[in-house]
Amino acid sequence: MPDESGRPGDTQATDIAARVTLIERCILVLLVVGLFIGVLAIMRPFTTAILFGAAVATAAWPARQALHRRGIPRRTAAAILLSLSLILIVVPTLIVAPRLADHLTGGIQRIETYLAATPEEPAWIKTVPLIGGRLDAAWDGIVGAEGSLRKVAEPYTGDLEQVMIGTAHALADSVLQVILSLAIATMFWANGDALVLILHDALRRLGGPLAEQALDVAAGAIRGVAYGVIGTALIQAVLLGAGLALAGVPGAGMLAFVGLLLAISQIGGPLLIIIWGGAAWWLFRGDHQAWGAFMIIWGVFVSTIDNFIKPFLIGFGIHMPISLTILGVFGGFIVFGFLGLFIGPTLIAVMFTLLTAWRVAVADHPAVQPAKRPA
């Protein structure tokens, strides 16, 4: 009998079946993509909380593992870390955030009132060793030329006020995000082992051993930022607040928090002199010369201690150029608000570390390098 497998009807049926299969697969892909988009839309309001919570969980992961090795169950260890986080993060934020905007507004108004009239030259300026004469001449030059210090500072007062108050409001708006972040971090601490195994397996299947190692590299980058950048800024802020409180400067806690923001920004670290220098000024005006001198010495110590602390702390994680840290701080603040001060440099550190690890892997494995063209 002749072979009838090549009949036009059979070919047409095969084409129709192929088209149906293609349409079904396209519909399936569209459904998956639509589901993915829907999940992203639902999770979008919580992006900041998820990123910050993951960063906190990763930074504290060694402590969680240490507790678990001592026989403490995972959920108990998560509860301990949550309690410490509430004490160290949430309680100070709840205390500072509602009052920061009011304090900054009142402080700026008091400064403007003080500068509105030509202030008298403090008697102690001429008595400052070595530079007293120069300070006296600078005072006469500024006040005598303008008639009022307010005219000198007026072009910058509005911008400074907007920046400070905007920062305060961003902090207040981030209180809920902080609480959500700690809830997410607690879930990671309690059930993170399964997630780590899933991520390792997925990356190993998708990219091999190098992709799997990238997960550990990213964790090291997060800890490097947490310890090196944020840890150093936190130590500086605590020391600054302790010195201010010891000298009897009002609002020491609030000033220390502002110092923390300046120190985290990296380029704002040198601006710590505004805080302790202003405190010294206030002490000198109140005839507390000894405490004023102490404040200057303590302030110089606090402003320079990061040169010794940061290399030690950042050794636990990564070494990242300060320019990238600055971009991460300010870019993160613009995108994510107050918590972006922490999220921004963390994300950039992860990307920088992964690129560095990839470059090293390519250099160590000539087989993966592109072949050279023949001359």
Side-chain angles (χ1 to χ4, degrees), residues 118-186:
T118 303
E120 297 181 0
E121 178 182 342
W124 56 266
I125 282 187
K126 296 180 180 180
T127 62
V128 176
L130 300 178
I131 61 173
R134 295 182 179 180
L135 291 177
D136 178 54
W139 181 279
D140 292 338
I142 295 175
V143 177
E146 300 291 340
S148 173
L149 287 177
R150 184 179 184 180
K151 295 180 180 179
V152 178
E154 190 172 10
Y156 315 101
T157 303
D159 294 337
L160 179 61
E161 182 177 356
Q162 292 299 323
V163 170
M164 299 291 283
I165 295 178
T167 302
H169 285 301
L171 173 62
D173 294 338
S174 299
V175 172
L176 179 59
Q177 296 284 4
V178 170
I179 297 175
L180 290 175
S181 299
L182 292 182
I184 293 170
T186 304

Side-chain angles (χ1 to χ4, degrees), residues 182-245:
L182 292 182
I184 293 170
T186 304
M187 289 189 292
F188 286 143
W189 290 325
N191 307 299
D193 294 299
L195 178 61
V196 170
L197 291 176
I198 292 173
L199 290 176
H200 272 284
D201 183 64
L203 290 174
R204 184 173 60 253
R205 291 175 178 273
L206 292 174
L210 290 178
E212 184 181 7
Q213 293 173 5
L215 188 63
D216 298 327
V217 171
I222 294 174
R223 283 191 281 270
V225 172
Y227 302 155
V229 177
I230 300 172
T232 302
L234 184 61
I235 291 174
Q236 285 183 287
V238 170
L239 292 175
L240 178 62
L244 293 169

